[in-house]
């Protein structure tokens, strides 16, 4: 099932999804736009972040279960994604099911992860921030805190998996997928993102409401 008004940003670590979401937050009215992310800021998301920082060791399959549990809350809690989308808000999430398929699939096998995530709705639109792993490494290596996944040899595998997993995921769910050239400058990428979003009926409604005020 497709969840209308729901958009997902995906890409390897360092591909710039978080930066672009922050820019959109400045541009769009808070009354009709929700920017969100996974792992979430809820209790399961916090546990996941601790583990990704290498502070709590967890089995790969445990991580896959926890990401799915965090997502269940993210979608269906009272102030969750589904509720916002149904209230005719545009919801954009920095990472979603494809991250689990790509990252956890590498350790646990594709089948296990696909099964854990099979009941979750598909987004209306998915923007894939494509960036060669060598360029991405130059970005995340400058950060003060690093995740266990932020190593070039691992990110090369992740990059390859995105290239095969995303087309399959989008075809299965009927999600529209647009590739963003993430090698470009922040301003140029922002333009590409805006162009991609502008085809969505909800964005037209938001912009029309903005100009009529
Ligand atoms: P990221 O968006 O990079 O957060 P931050 O920039 O704050 O560290 O996400 C953190 C990591 O979580 C990233 O390396 C990918 C990983 N991840 C998974 O392995 N599976 C998932 O299902 C999700 C949502 C994220």
């Amino acid at each position: 099932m497709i969840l209308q008004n729901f958009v997902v940003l995906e890409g390897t670590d360092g591909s710039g999804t978080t930066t672009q979401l922050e820019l959109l937050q400045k541009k769009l009215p808070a009354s009709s736009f929700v920017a969100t992310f996974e792992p979430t800021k809820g209790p399961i998301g916090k546990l996941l972040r601790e583990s990704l920082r290498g502070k709590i060791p967890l089995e790969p399959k445990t991580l896959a279960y926890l990401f799915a549990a965090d997502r269940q809350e993210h979608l269906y809690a009272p102030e969750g994604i589904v509720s916002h989308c149904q209230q005719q808000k545009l919801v954009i999430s920095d990472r979603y099911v494809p991250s689990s398929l790509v990252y956890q699939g590498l350790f646990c096998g594709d089948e296990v992860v696909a099964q854990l995530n099979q009941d979750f709705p598909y987004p209306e639109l998915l923007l894939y921030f494509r960036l060669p792993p060598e360029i991405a490494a130059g970005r995340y290596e400058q950060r003060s805190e690093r995740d266990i996944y932020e190593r070039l040899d691992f990110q090369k595998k992740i990059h390859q998996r995105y290239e095969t997993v995303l087309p399959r995921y989008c075809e299965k769910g009927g999600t529209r997928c647009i590739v963003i050239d993430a090698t470009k400058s922040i301003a140029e990428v922002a333009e590409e993102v805006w162009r991609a979003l502008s085809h969505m009926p909800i964005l037209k409604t938001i912009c029309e409401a903005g100009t009529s005020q």
Side-chain angles (χ1 to χ4, degrees), residues 10 13-14 17-18 38-39 49 52-53 67 71 94-101 103-104 143 147 149-150 155:
E10 285 286 351
D13 292 74
T17 52
T18 309
E38 295 187 1
R49 281 189 193 278
L52 293 175
R53 293 268 184 256
F67 275 115
R71 189 161 295 131
D94 186 355
R95 299 190 180 281
Y96 184 61
V97 171
S99 282
S100 281
L101 297 173
Y103 287 76
Q104 278 63 57
R143 294 181 192 160
D147 281 355
Y149 295 153
E150 291 173 351
Q155 288 295 323

Side-chain angles (χ1 to χ4, degrees), residues 47-201:
L47 175 61
L48 280 164
R49 281 189 193 278
E50 293 276 287
S51 182
L52 293 175
R53 293 268 184 256
K55 290 177 186 158
I56 302 173
L58 291 171
E59 288 299 310
K61 206 166 167 183
T62 310
L63 279 178
Y65 277 104
L66 286 174
F67 275 115
D70 189 38
R71 189 161 295 131
Q72 172 77 21
E73 285 297 308
H74 197 199
L75 283 160
Y76 298 107
E79 286 290 295
I81 294 172
V82 170
S83 144
H84 286 304
C85 288
Q86 285 171 349
Q87 290 164 40
Q88 296 307 308
K89 290 184 184 177
L90 170 66
V91 180
I92 304 188
S93 181
D94 186 355
R95 299 190 180 281
Y96 184 61
V97 171
S99 282
S100 281
L101 297 173
V102 167
Y103 287 76
Q104 278 63 57
L106 190 57
F107 299 106
C108 309
D110 296 327
E111 271 301 300
V112 171
V113 185
Q115 236 172 36
L116 282 174
N117 288 278
Q118 66 186 358
D119 292 337
F120 296 138
Y122 285 80
E124 182 181 338
L125 176 68
L126 190 148
L127 304 184
Y128 169 43
F129 284 53
R130 184 185 271 151
L131 186 68
E134 292 77 10
I135 302 182
R139 296 184 185 174
Y140 59 72
E141 277 167 4
Q142 286 167 16
R143 294 181 192 160
S144 53
E145 271 198 293
R146 298 263 292 278
D147 281 355
I148 51 173
Y149 295 153
E150 291 173 351
R151 302 187 326 260
L152 182 57
D153 55 341
F154 181 75
Q155 288 295 323
K156 281 185 180 167
K157 290 189 195 147
I158 292 296
H159 180 75
Q160 273 177 354
R161 283 186 62 80
Y162 264 116
E163 298 289 328
T164 53
V165 165
L166 282 186
R168 267 191 248 141
Y169 175 77
C170 290
E171 197 185 336
K172 193 163 180 208
T175 294
R176 190 176 144 90
C177 180
I178 296 182
V179 178
I180 302 288
D181 178 359
T183 62
K184 292 185 177 169
S185 71
I186 292 176
E188 284 169 319
V189 172
E191 265 177 46
E192 272 197 44
V193 168
W194 190 253
R195 220 174 300 132
L197 294 176
S198 63
H199 297 291
M200 295 180 75

